[in-house]
Amino acid sequence: MASTVIHAYYDDDDVLMHAVKKVKAAKHHIEEVYCPFPVHGLDKAMGLAPTRIAITSFMYGCLGLTVAIVMMNYIMIADWPQDIGGKPSFSYMENMPAFVPIMFEMTVFFAAHLMVITFYLRSRLWPFKKSENPDPKTTDDQFVMEIEVHDNEAELKELLLDTGAVELNIIKNSH
């Protein structure tokens, strides 16, 4: 099956945001937008679902806090209790104020590292992965909006040129 897409090139992120809003208002589906840097608000303008990475971050932080509490209770109370600075070594609750920095650091450590790993796995990014951007210019100074053509090529070209596209390319893919 052959599919045709239009790549509309933009040289400014504000012009791109305006173009995305106009294309969505005209009821066209934007397949993808390739940018050299993150554009604030682009996901909402494209109508993408909100990310759930914050939820996973909270769960990973809770896991880190749990690991820190269990680890400190085992190491400092159960396994090898020591009298450090005159603090009692028989109760976790009596020592907890001294353990707060460790609990905080383990929470942040787990949340940060596991969130990055989750992002890479979810985005299917791994070492030696071939890039998916359609044009090397999108890693430097150009923005590309990709729209699939459904017997409306002339209408799309006119719309995209009206939105400020500096270049249009028609790409025919055969799958």
Side-chain angles (χ1 to χ4, degrees):
M1 176 180 173
S3 66
T4 304
V5 294
I6 292 181
H7 286 168
Y9 290 77
Y10 296 89
D11 57 2
D12 185 59
D13 56 334
D14 291 329
V15 175
L16 172 74
M17 281 294 289
H18 180 68
V20 166
K21 290 174 184 174
K22 279 184 84 169
V23 169
K24 292 302 280 184
K27 305 287 189 220
H28 294 289
H29 176 69
I30 300 171
E31 292 292 326
E32 189 65 74
V33 175
Y34 300 93
C35 302
F37 54 84
V39 177
H40 180 70
L42 185 60
D43 53 341
K44 288 188 177 155
M46 287 180 62
L48 299 176
T51 179
R52 295 184 303 259
I53 195 89
I55 297 168
T56 61
S57 175
F58 177 75
M59 291 189 307
Y60 295 151
C62 290
L63 175 67
L65 179 64
T66 303
V67 167
I69 290 170
V70 169
M71 177 189 75
M72 288 181 300
N73 188 51
Y74 176 73
I75 292 171
M76 299 300 289
I77 306 300
D79 183 44
W80 194 3
Q82 297 180 29
D83 185 5
I84 300 173
K87 295 185 173 105
S89 58
F90 53 83
S91 168
Y92 179 82
M93 291 307 291
E94 289 180 18
N95 283 319
M96 194 159 68
F99 294 156
V100 168
I102 300 168
M103 292 187 295
F104 172 77
E105 292 299 331
M106 289 290 282
T107 301
V108 171
F109 180 86
F110 270 67
H113 286 78
L114 292 176
M115 202 167 49
V116 167
I117 291 168
T118 300
F119 172 76
Y120 283 150
L121 292 174
R122 182 71 180 96
S123 300
R124 294 189 175 108
L125 293 173
W126 47 80
F128 312 111
K129 183 177 190 282
K130 188 176 182 293
S131 66
E132 296 177 2
N133 58 334
D135 192 329
K137 291 188 277 188
T138 61
T139 63
D140 185 25
D141 64 346
Q142 295 283 305
F143 302 85
V144 174
M145 183 188 321
E146 182 178 275
I147 304 172
E148 192 166 351
V149 177
H150 300 286
D151 298 325
N152 57 353
E153 188 173 321
E155 175 194 345
L156 271 175
K157 278 184 179 179
E158 183 181 337
L159 174 64
L160 292 170
L161 288 173
D162 285 345
T163 62
V166 294
E167 180 183 340
L168 294 177
N169 288 338
I170 312 297
I171 310 292
K172 295 188 187 296
N173 297 325
S174 56
H175 297 284

mmCIF file of all heavy atoms in Angstrom, residues 19-62:
data_model
loop_
_atom_site.group_PDB
_atom_site.id
_atom_site.type_symbol
_atom_site.label_atom_id
_atom_site.label_comp_id
_atom_site.label_asym_id
_atom_site.label_seq_id
_atom_site.Cartn_x
_atom_site.Cartn_y
_atom_site.Cartn_z
ATOM 1 N N ALA A 19 0.929 27.451 12.793
ATOM 2 C CA ALA A 19 0.592 26.540 11.692
ATOM 3 C C ALA A 19 -0.105 25.283 12.203
ATOM 4 O O ALA A 19 -1.087 24.826 11.603
ATOM 5 C CB ALA A 19 1.847 26.168 10.918
ATOM 6 N N VAL A 20 0.380 24.729 13.294
ATOM 7 C CA VAL A 20 -0.242 23.521 13.856
ATOM 8 C C VAL A 20 -1.685 23.820 14.247
ATOM 9 O O VAL A 20 -2.596 23.032 13.959
ATOM 10 C CB VAL A 20 0.570 23.002 15.069
ATOM 11 C CG1 VAL A 20 -0.218 21.989 15.872
ATOM 12 C CG2 VAL A 20 1.888 22.398 14.610
ATOM 13 N N LYS A 21 -1.909 24.960 14.858
ATOM 14 C CA LYS A 21 -3.272 25.323 15.260
ATOM 15 C C LYS A 21 -4.180 25.504 14.041
ATOM 16 O O LYS A 21 -5.342 25.076 14.057
ATOM 17 C CB LYS A 21 -3.247 26.591 16.115
ATOM 18 C CG LYS A 21 -2.632 26.355 17.484
ATOM 19 C CD LYS A 21 -2.470 27.638 18.274
ATOM 20 C CE LYS A 21 -1.768 27.363 19.590
ATOM 21 N NZ LYS A 21 -1.458 28.568 20.320
ATOM 22 N N LYS A 22 -3.664 26.131 12.971
ATOM 23 C CA LYS A 22 -4.473 26.315 11.760
ATOM 24 C C LYS A 22 -4.775 24.989 11.069
ATOM 25 O O LYS A 22 -5.897 24.761 10.605
ATOM 26 C CB LYS A 22 -3.765 27.261 10.782
ATOM 27 C CG LYS A 22 -3.946 28.727 11.116
ATOM 28 C CD LYS A 22 -3.320 29.619 10.078
ATOM 29 C CE LYS A 22 -4.283 29.824 8.930
ATOM 30 N NZ LYS A 22 -3.825 30.888 8.009
ATOM 31 N N VAL A 23 -3.791 24.102 11.012
ATOM 32 C CA VAL A 23 -3.986 22.792 10.374
ATOM 33 C C VAL A 23 -4.988 21.966 11.174
ATOM 34 O O VAL A 23 -5.861 21.310 10.598
ATOM 35 C CB VAL A 23 -2.633 22.057 10.210
ATOM 36 C CG1 VAL A 23 -2.836 20.609 9.813
ATOM 37 C CG2 VAL A 23 -1.763 22.774 9.189
ATOM 38 N N LYS A 24 -4.886 21.981 12.498
ATOM 39 C CA LYS A 24 -5.853 21.237 13.335
ATOM 40 C C LYS A 24 -7.254 21.848 13.212
ATOM 41 O O LYS A 24 -8.242 21.121 13.200
ATOM 42 C CB LYS A 24 -5.404 21.241 14.803
ATOM 43 C CG LYS A 24 -4.148 20.445 15.081
ATOM 44 C CD LYS A 24 -4.247 18.996 14.689
ATOM 45 C CE LYS A 24 -4.971 18.196 15.718
ATOM 46 N NZ LYS A 24 -5.012 16.770 15.413
ATOM 47 N N ALA A 25 -7.332 23.171 13.096
ATOM 48 C CA ALA A 25 -8.633 23.831 12.937
ATOM 49 C C ALA A 25 -9.268 23.459 11.603
ATOM 50 O O ALA A 25 -10.496 23.420 11.495
ATOM 51 C CB ALA A 25 -8.480 25.339 13.056
ATOM 52 N N ALA A 26 -8.433 23.175 10.600
ATOM 53 C CA ALA A 26 -8.942 22.774 9.281
ATOM 54 C C ALA A 26 -9.251 21.278 9.244
ATOM 55 O O ALA A 26 -9.524 20.728 8.176
ATOM 56 C CB ALA A 26 -7.939 23.139 8.191
ATOM 57 N N LYS A 27 -9.190 20.607 10.385
ATOM 58 C CA LYS A 27 -9.551 19.185 10.540
ATOM 59 C C LYS A 27 -8.619 18.236 9.788
ATOM 60 O O LYS A 27 -9.050 17.210 9.279
ATOM 61 C CB LYS A 27 -11.003 18.929 10.102
ATOM 62 C CG LYS A 27 -12.029 19.789 10.789
ATOM 63 C CD LYS A 27 -12.216 19.365 12.215
ATOM 64 C CE LYS A 27 -13.404 20.112 12.796
ATOM 65 N NZ LYS A 27 -13.190 20.543 14.137
ATOM 66 N N HIS A 28 -7.320 18.568 9.733
ATOM 67 C CA HIS A 28 -6.331 17.661 9.145
ATOM 68 C C HIS A 28 -5.570 16.993 10.274
ATOM 69 O O HIS A 28 -5.308 17.603 11.317
ATOM 70 C CB HIS A 28 -5.356 18.414 8.235
ATOM 71 C CG HIS A 28 -5.999 18.985 7.018
ATOM 72 N ND1 HIS A 28 -6.449 18.213 5.971
ATOM 73 C CD2 HIS A 28 -6.290 20.264 6.682
ATOM 74 C CE1 HIS A 28 -6.969 18.988 5.046
ATOM 75 N NE2 HIS A 28 -6.895 20.249 5.461
ATOM 76 N N HIS A 29 -5.180 15.744 10.054
ATOM 77 C CA HIS A 29 -4.430 14.996 11.064
ATOM 78 C C HIS A 29 -2.931 15.166 10.822
ATOM 79 O O HIS A 29 -2.430 14.849 9.750
ATOM 80 C CB HIS A 29 -4.801 13.511 11.037
ATOM 81 C CG HIS A 29 -3.990 12.686 11.986
ATOM 82 N ND1 HIS A 29 -4.128 12.797 13.344
ATOM 83 C CD2 HIS A 29 -3.016 11.769 11.776
ATOM 84 C CE1 HIS A 29 -3.281 11.964 13.932
ATOM 85 N NE2 HIS A 29 -2.593 11.337 13.002
ATOM 86 N N ILE A 30 -2.229 15.649 11.826
ATOM 87 C CA ILE A 30 -0.779 15.811 11.757
ATOM 88 C C ILE A 30 -0.155 14.513 12.257
ATOM 89 O O ILE A 30 -0.373 14.111 13.399
ATOM 90 C CB ILE A 30 -0.310 17.007 12.608
ATOM 91 C CG1 ILE A 30 -0.954 18.295 12.103
ATOM 92 C CG2 ILE A 30 1.206 17.110 12.596
ATOM 93 C CD1 ILE A 30 -0.732 19.482 13.011
ATOM 94 N N GLU A 31 0.607 13.864 11.382
ATOM 95 C CA GLU A 31 1.249 12.605 11.756
ATOM 96 C C GLU A 31 2.338 12.837 12.800
ATOM 97 O O GLU A 31 2.399 12.137 13.803
ATOM 98 C CB GLU A 31 1.870 11.927 10.527
ATOM 99 C CG GLU A 31 0.870 11.427 9.522
ATOM 100 C CD GLU A 31 0.047 10.263 10.028
ATOM 101 O OE1 GLU A 31 0.570 9.439 10.793
ATOM 102 O OE2 GLU A 31 -1.146 10.200 9.673
ATOM 103 N N GLU A 32 3.213 13.797 12.534
ATOM 104 C CA GLU A 32 4.349 14.047 13.413
ATOM 105 C C GLU A 32 4.915 15.434 13.158
ATOM 106 O O GLU A 32 4.758 15.973 12.067
ATOM 107 C CB GLU A 32 5.434 12.998 13.164
ATOM 108 C CG GLU A 32 6.573 13.000 14.154
ATOM 109 C CD GLU A 32 6.151 12.638 15.556
ATOM 110 O OE1 GLU A 32 5.874 11.470 15.838
ATOM 111 O OE2 GLU A 32 6.085 13.578 16.385
ATOM 112 N N VAL A 33 5.550 16.002 14.175
ATOM 113 C CA VAL A 33 6.282 17.255 14.037
ATOM 114 C C VAL A 33 7.693 16.990 14.550
ATOM 115 O O VAL A 33 7.871 16.520 15.672
ATOM 116 C CB VAL A 33 5.627 18.407 14.821
ATOM 117 C CG1 VAL A 33 6.472 19.658 14.743
ATOM 118 C CG2 VAL A 33 4.229 18.690 14.295
ATOM 119 N N TYR A 34 8.677 17.267 13.717
ATOM 120 C CA TYR A 34 10.081 17.066 14.071
ATOM 121 C C TYR A 34 10.695 18.425 14.377
ATOM 122 O O TYR A 34 10.613 19.337 13.563
ATOM 123 C CB TYR A 34 10.834 16.390 12.923
ATOM 124 C CG TYR A 34 10.273 15.036 12.565
ATOM 125 C CD1 TYR A 34 9.317 14.905 11.564
ATOM 126 C CD2 TYR A 34 10.690 13.901 13.231
ATOM 127 C CE1 TYR A 34 8.796 13.671 11.239
ATOM 128 C CE2 TYR A 34 10.174 12.651 12.911
ATOM 129 C CZ TYR A 34 9.230 12.550 11.914
ATOM 130 O OH TYR A 34 8.707 11.317 11.596
ATOM 131 N N CYS A 35 11.311 18.546 15.560
ATOM 132 C CA CYS A 35 11.855 19.822 16.018
ATOM 133 C C CYS A 35 13.293 19.657 16.491
ATOM 134 O O CYS A 35 13.637 18.613 17.040
ATOM 135 C CB CYS A 35 11.033 20.354 17.192
ATOM 136 S SG CYS A 35 9.308 20.596 16.832
ATOM 137 N N PRO A 36 14.110 20.688 16.335
ATOM 138 C CA PRO A 36 15.484 20.612 16.851
ATOM 139 C C PRO A 36 15.564 20.794 18.373
ATOM 140 O O PRO A 36 16.575 20.497 18.977
ATOM 141 C CB PRO A 36 16.203 21.748 16.132
ATOM 142 C CG PRO A 36 15.132 22.696 15.735
ATOM 143 C CD PRO A 36 13.888 21.894 15.532
ATOM 144 N N PHE A 37 14.497 21.288 18.981
ATOM 145 C CA PHE A 37 14.444 21.455 20.427
ATOM 146 C C PHE A 37 12.983 21.369 20.858
ATOM 147 O O PHE A 37 12.072 21.521 20.047
ATOM 148 C CB PHE A 37 15.063 22.796 20.869
ATOM 149 C CG PHE A 37 14.478 23.999 20.190
ATOM 150 C CD1 PHE A 37 13.316 24.596 20.660
ATOM 151 C CD2 PHE A 37 15.107 24.547 19.076
ATOM 152 C CE1 PHE A 37 12.781 25.700 20.034
ATOM 153 C CE2 PHE A 37 14.572 25.652 18.445
ATOM 154 C CZ PHE A 37 13.409 26.236 18.919
ATOM 155 N N PRO A 38 12.710 21.104 22.146
ATOM 156 C CA PRO A 38 11.327 21.014 22.609
ATOM 157 C C PRO A 38 10.597 22.355 22.446
ATOM 158 O O PRO A 38 11.134 23.391 22.787
ATOM 159 C CB PRO A 38 11.452 20.651 24.085
ATOM 160 C CG PRO A 38 12.837 20.147 24.261
ATOM 161 C CD PRO A 38 13.668 20.799 23.205
ATOM 162 N N VAL A 39 9.378 22.300 21.947
ATOM 163 C CA VAL A 39 8.558 23.498 21.771
ATOM 164 C C VAL A 39 7.434 23.424 22.810
ATOM 165 O O VAL A 39 6.602 22.518 22.769
ATOM 166 C CB VAL A 39 7.996 23.586 20.336
ATOM 167 C CG1 VAL A 39 7.096 24.803 20.199
ATOM 168 C CG2 VAL A 39 9.126 23.630 19.325
ATOM 169 N N HIS A 40 7.432 24.381 23.721
ATOM 170 C CA HIS A 40 6.441 24.394 24.797
ATOM 171 C C HIS A 40 5.030 24.548 24.237
ATOM 172 O O HIS A 40 4.763 25.446 23.443
ATOM 173 C CB HIS A 40 6.739 25.531 25.774
ATOM 174 C CG HIS A 40 5.778 25.609 26.909
ATOM 175 N ND1 HIS A 40 5.748 24.663 27.907
ATOM 176 C CD2 HIS A 40 4.796 26.484 27.188
ATOM 177 C CE1 HIS A 40 4.782 24.980 28.752
ATOM 178 N NE2 HIS A 40 4.197 26.085 28.341
ATOM 179 N N GLY A 41 4.130 23.653 24.640
ATOM 180 C CA GLY A 41 2.731 23.717 24.229
ATOM 181 C C GLY A 41 2.423 23.006 22.934
ATOM 182 O O GLY A 41 1.261 22.935 22.531
ATOM 183 N N LEU A 42 3.430 22.448 22.257
ATOM 184 C CA LEU A 42 3.196 21.775 20.980
ATOM 185 C C LEU A 42 2.342 20.525 21.156
ATOM 186 O O LEU A 42 1.469 20.244 20.335
ATOM 187 C CB LEU A 42 4.529 21.421 20.310
ATOM 188 C CG LEU A 42 4.458 20.827 18.909
ATOM 189 C CD1 LEU A 42 3.769 21.791 17.941
ATOM 190 C CD2 LEU A 42 5.836 20.476 18.401
ATOM 191 N N ASP A 43 2.547 19.789 22.232
ATOM 192 C CA ASP A 43 1.763 18.578 22.460
ATOM 193 C C ASP A 43 0.280 18.896 22.625
ATOM 194 O O ASP A 43 -0.576 18.195 22.080
ATOM 195 C CB ASP A 43 2.292 17.810 23.669
ATOM 196 C CG ASP A 43 2.416 18.662 24.920
ATOM 197 O OD1 ASP A 43 2.441 19.911 24.804
ATOM 198 O OD2 ASP A 43 2.510 18.086 26.020
ATOM 199 N N LYS A 44 -0.030 19.963 23.322
ATOM 200 C CA LYS A 44 -1.441 20.354 23.488
ATOM 201 C C LYS A 44 -2.015 20.857 22.179
ATOM 202 O O LYS A 44 -3.168 20.570 21.848
ATOM 203 C CB LYS A 44 -1.570 21.411 24.576
ATOM 204 C CG LYS A 44 -1.359 20.830 25.937
ATOM 205 C CD LYS A 44 -1.676 21.805 27.038
ATOM 206 C CE LYS A 44 -1.485 21.031 28.318
ATOM 207 N NZ LYS A 44 -1.198 21.662 29.451
ATOM 208 N N ALA A 45 -1.236 21.619 21.418
ATOM 209 C CA ALA A 45 -1.714 22.142 20.137
ATOM 210 C C ALA A 45 -1.990 21.004 19.160
ATOM 211 O O ALA A 45 -2.912 21.080 18.354
ATOM 212 C CB ALA A 45 -0.696 23.112 19.541
ATOM 213 N N MET A 46 -1.213 19.929 19.241
ATOM 214 C CA MET A 46 -1.409 18.780 18.357
ATOM 215 C C MET A 46 -2.526 17.862 18.845
ATOM 216 O O MET A 46 -2.950 16.968 18.133
ATOM 217 C CB MET A 46 -0.117 17.972 18.230
ATOM 218 C CG MET A 46 0.942 18.651 17.392
ATOM 219 S SD MET A 46 2.447 17.684 17.263
ATOM 220 C CE MET A 46 1.870 16.221 16.440
ATOM 221 N N GLY A 47 -2.975 18.055 20.072
ATOM 222 C CA GLY A 47 -4.043 17.220 20.614
ATOM 223 C C GLY A 47 -3.547 15.898 21.155
ATOM 224 O O GLY A 47 -4.307 14.923 21.214
ATOM 225 N N LEU A 48 -2.286 15.836 21.573
ATOM 226 C CA LEU A 48 -1.735 14.598 22.124
ATOM 227 C C LEU A 48 -2.207 14.405 23.557
ATOM 228 O O LEU A 48 -2.433 15.366 24.289
ATOM 229 C CB LEU A 48 -0.211 14.634 22.081
ATOM 230 C CG LEU A 48 0.423 14.764 20.701
ATOM 231 C CD1 LEU A 48 1.944 14.874 20.838
ATOM 232 C CD2 LEU A 48 0.050 13.594 19.822
ATOM 233 N N ALA A 49 -2.328 13.142 23.954
ATOM 234 C CA ALA A 49 -2.745 12.826 25.314
ATOM 235 C C ALA A 49 -1.655 13.226 26.296
ATOM 236 O O ALA A 49 -0.464 13.176 25.970
ATOM 237 C CB ALA A 49 -3.023 11.332 25.439
ATOM 238 N N PRO A 50 -2.034 13.631 27.507
ATOM 239 C CA PRO A 50 -1.022 14.004 28.495
ATOM 240 C C PRO A 50 -0.146 12.801 28.861
ATOM 241 O O PRO A 50 -0.600 11.667 28.849
ATOM 242 C CB PRO A 50 -1.819 14.480 29.709
ATOM 243 C CG PRO A 50 -3.243 14.419 29.348
ATOM 244 C CD PRO A 50 -3.381 13.800 28.004
ATOM 245 N N THR A 51 1.093 13.080 29.215
ATOM 246 C CA THR A 51 2.022 12.018 29.577
ATOM 247 C C THR A 51 1.748 11.518 30.998
ATOM 248 O O THR A 51 1.222 12.263 31.825
ATOM 249 C CB THR A 51 3.475 12.516 29.468
ATOM 250 O OG1 THR A 51 4.345 11.463 29.842
ATOM 251 C CG2 THR A 51 3.730 13.718 30.349
ATOM 252 N N ARG A 52 2.100 10.275 31.242
ATOM 253 C CA ARG A 52 1.924 9.694 32.571
ATOM 254 C C ARG A 52 3.260 9.519 33.280
ATOM 255 O O ARG A 52 3.354 8.791 34.258
ATOM 256 C CB ARG A 52 1.206 8.349 32.438
ATOM 257 C CG ARG A 52 -0.200 8.481 31.921
ATOM 258 C CD ARG A 52 -0.913 7.152 31.879
ATOM 259 N NE ARG A 52 -0.221 6.156 31.077
ATOM 260 C CZ ARG A 52 -0.541 5.812 29.834
ATOM 261 N NH1 ARG A 52 -1.556 6.388 29.248
ATOM 262 N NH2 ARG A 52 0.135 4.899 29.189
ATOM 263 N N ILE A 53 4.301 10.203 32.805
ATOM 264 C CA ILE A 53 5.627 10.037 33.395
ATOM 265 C C ILE A 53 5.660 10.550 34.833
ATOM 266 O O ILE A 53 6.396 10.024 35.663
ATOM 267 C CB ILE A 53 6.722 10.709 32.524
ATOM 268 C CG1 ILE A 53 8.118 10.234 32.934
ATOM 269 C CG2 ILE A 53 6.659 12.206 32.586
ATOM 270 C CD1 ILE A 53 8.577 9.021 32.228
ATOM 271 N N ALA A 54 4.832 11.545 35.181
ATOM 272 C CA ALA A 54 4.800 12.053 36.554
ATOM 273 C C ALA A 54 4.263 10.989 37.511
ATOM 274 O O ALA A 54 4.729 10.885 38.656
ATOM 275 C CB ALA A 54 3.958 13.313 36.631
ATOM 276 N N ILE A 55 3.296 10.202 37.065
ATOM 277 C CA ILE A 55 2.749 9.134 37.907
ATOM 278 C C ILE A 55 3.825 8.085 38.170
ATOM 279 O O ILE A 55 4.001 7.622 39.298
ATOM 280 C CB ILE A 55 1.510 8.505 37.242
ATOM 281 C CG1 ILE A 55 0.404 9.554 37.116
ATOM 282 C CG2 ILE A 55 1.023 7.285 38.014
ATOM 283 C CD1 ILE A 55 -0.742 9.139 36.220
ATOM 284 N N THR A 56 4.556 7.713 37.113
ATOM 285 C CA THR A 56 5.617 6.726 37.306
ATOM 286 C C THR A 56 6.721 7.293 38.196
ATOM 287 O O THR A 56 7.287 6.563 39.005
ATOM 288 C CB THR A 56 6.206 6.256 35.963
ATOM 289 O OG1 THR A 56 6.766 7.372 35.278
ATOM 290 C CG2 THR A 56 5.167 5.593 35.102
ATOM 291 N N SER A 57 7.001 8.577 38.070
ATOM 292 C CA SER A 57 8.011 9.203 38.920
ATOM 293 C C SER A 57 7.610 9.104 40.396
ATOM 294 O O SER A 57 8.442 8.782 41.249
ATOM 295 C CB SER A 57 8.194 10.660 38.529
ATOM 296 O OG SER A 57 9.081 11.299 39.403
ATOM 297 N N PHE A 58 6.342 9.360 40.684
ATOM 298 C CA PHE A 58 5.865 9.250 42.063
ATOM 299 C C PHE A 58 5.998 7.818 42.568
ATOM 300 O O PHE A 58 6.456 7.579 43.689
ATOM 301 C CB PHE A 58 4.413 9.720 42.166
ATOM 302 C CG PHE A 58 3.827 9.563 43.536
ATOM 303 C CD1 PHE A 58 4.184 10.436 44.554
ATOM 304 C CD2 PHE A 58 2.937 8.543 43.815
ATOM 305 C CE1 PHE A 58 3.656 10.293 45.828
ATOM 306 C CE2 PHE A 58 2.411 8.386 45.080
ATOM 307 C CZ PHE A 58 2.765 9.263 46.089
ATOM 308 N N MET A 59 5.613 6.847 41.733
ATOM 309 C CA MET A 59 5.718 5.438 42.148
ATOM 310 C C MET A 59 7.178 5.046 42.364
ATOM 311 O O MET A 59 7.498 4.344 43.325
ATOM 312 C CB MET A 59 5.063 4.530 41.111
ATOM 313 C CG MET A 59 3.563 4.674 41.058
ATOM 314 S SD MET A 59 2.690 3.477 40.046
ATOM 315 C CE MET A 59 3.509 3.586 38.486
ATOM 316 N N TYR A 60 8.083 5.508 41.498
ATOM 317 C CA TYR A 60 9.496 5.197 41.668
ATOM 318 C C TYR A 60 10.054 5.868 42.921
ATOM 319 O O TYR A 60 10.902 5.295 43.614
ATOM 320 C CB TYR A 60 10.297 5.625 40.445
ATOM 321 C CG TYR A 60 9.947 4.857 39.187
ATOM 322 C CD1 TYR A 60 10.076 5.450 37.941
ATOM 323 C CD2 TYR A 60 9.485 3.549 39.235
ATOM 324 C CE1 TYR A 60 9.764 4.761 36.781
ATOM 325 C CE2 TYR A 60 9.170 2.853 38.087
ATOM 326 C CZ TYR A 60 9.312 3.465 36.863
ATOM 327 O OH TYR A 60 9.006 2.779 35.722
ATOM 328 N N GLY A 61 9.598 7.076 43.236
ATOM 329 C CA GLY A 61 10.013 7.739 44.463
ATOM 330 C C GLY A 61 9.557 6.971 45.693
ATOM 331 O O GLY A 61 10.311 6.812 46.658
ATOM 332 N N CYS A 62 8.318 6.477 45.650
ATOM 333 C CA CYS A 62 7.810 5.657 46.769
ATOM 334 C C CYS A 62 8.630 4.376 46.918
ATOM 335 O O CYS A 62 8.926 3.942 48.038
ATOM 336 C CB CYS A 62 6.336 5.327 46.568
ATOM 337 S SG CYS A 62 5.250 6.741 46.759
#
